[in-house]
Amino acid sequence: RELESAARDKGLAMVDAPMSGGVPGARAGTLTFMVGAGDGDFERAAVVLGAMGRPKKVGGPGSGSAAKLCNNLMMAIQMVAVSEGFTLAKALGLDHRDLFAVASTSTSQCWSMTSYAPVPDVVPTSPANRNFEAGFSGSLMHKDLRLALDAAAANDATLPVGTRVADLYADMINADGGDADFSAIITHLHRLSRS
């Protein structure tokens, strides 16, 4: 918001437009842009952003970055929940393909399950099929979680689950480095289950 104000003072228009969709979305031209923009600025930016995906206005200047933090917080929490479900399934002797068949069409269905499941051979776009080659690395997810927690603290919001999830990602990075995809959190949970 401060940058937008400084740009306006110099007669420049500015939008903040973080995206979601990672490497696969960039390749396919299906990125979602969360755009914070002043009046009239969104329409001009949407022409450019529309060539790469779907621009969505989420509010005034700074709102795009705020939406991105909220989106990634929710995505990280979902990924840990999905990974815990598959970790429990493994411990109970349930084949991950059978759990996926049920969970992907029932009440636990979410993007982290149906588009990015952290187990191989159930979703073609899953990094688990490629040894967790990063589309969005664990380090980047942890950075976004830290930013979300900082924003929450600065605005008197309490995020107990987000705090724990950020700690899990920090532990994963300390154990394995942060280069693997954020969905590799499942390998960290498997390791914790064996300890």
Side-chain angles (χ1 to χ4, degrees):
R1 292 181 179 135
E2 292 171 19
L3 288 174
E4 194 275 341
S5 178
R8 288 262 179 236
D9 290 346
K10 298 206 180 291
L12 303 171
M14 183 186 144
V15 301
D16 63 303
M19 60 82 186
S20 179
V23 174
R27 287 184 180 136
T30 59
L31 297 170
T32 297
F33 291 93
M34 297 158 260
V35 184
D39 294 337
D41 296 334
F42 173 76
E43 291 74 16
R44 291 184 303 163
V47 173
V48 175
L49 298 174
M52 299 176 280
R54 300 172 302 267
K56 307 284 184 189
K57 186 172 182 187
V58 294
S63 297
S65 297
K68 175 70 172 182
L69 292 179
C70 296
N71 183 71
N72 281 10
L73 171 72
M74 291 185 284
M75 181 174 58
I77 291 169
Q78 289 172 3
M79 184 55 74
V80 169
V82 168
S83 295
E84 283 192 351
F86 281 112
T87 298
L88 178 59
K90 182 177 180 179
L92 297 175
L94 182 62
D95 186 276
H96 68 270
R97 289 172 289 265
D98 293 330
L99 176 60
F100 178 83
V102 173
S104 65
T105 61
S106 64
T107 53
S108 61
Q109 183 278 326
C110 62
W111 181 89
S112 292
M113 173 71 72
T114 58
S115 297
Y116 224 69
V119 293
D121 306 322
V122 295
V123 177
T125 52
S126 172
N129 298 328
R130 301 179 313 281
N131 198 30
F132 296 103
E133 177 185 320
F136 189 71
S137 73
S139 290
L140 288 174
M141 179 56 79
H142 184 255
K143 174 206 47 101
D144 282 0
L145 287 166
R146 293 300 328 147
L147 290 171
L149 293 173
D150 290 347
N155 291 281
D156 299 321
T158 303
L159 306 177
V161 176
T163 299
R164 181 62 185 125
V165 168
D167 290 345
L168 286 169
Y169 275 99
D171 293 345
M172 179 184 93
I173 291 165
N174 288 334
D176 299 328
D179 295 335
D181 191 82
F182 82 99
S183 61
I185 192 72
I186 194 170
T187 61
H188 181 63
L189 294 174
H190 287 175
R191 188 172 36 256
L192 292 175
S193 295
R194 288 192 293 269
S195 343

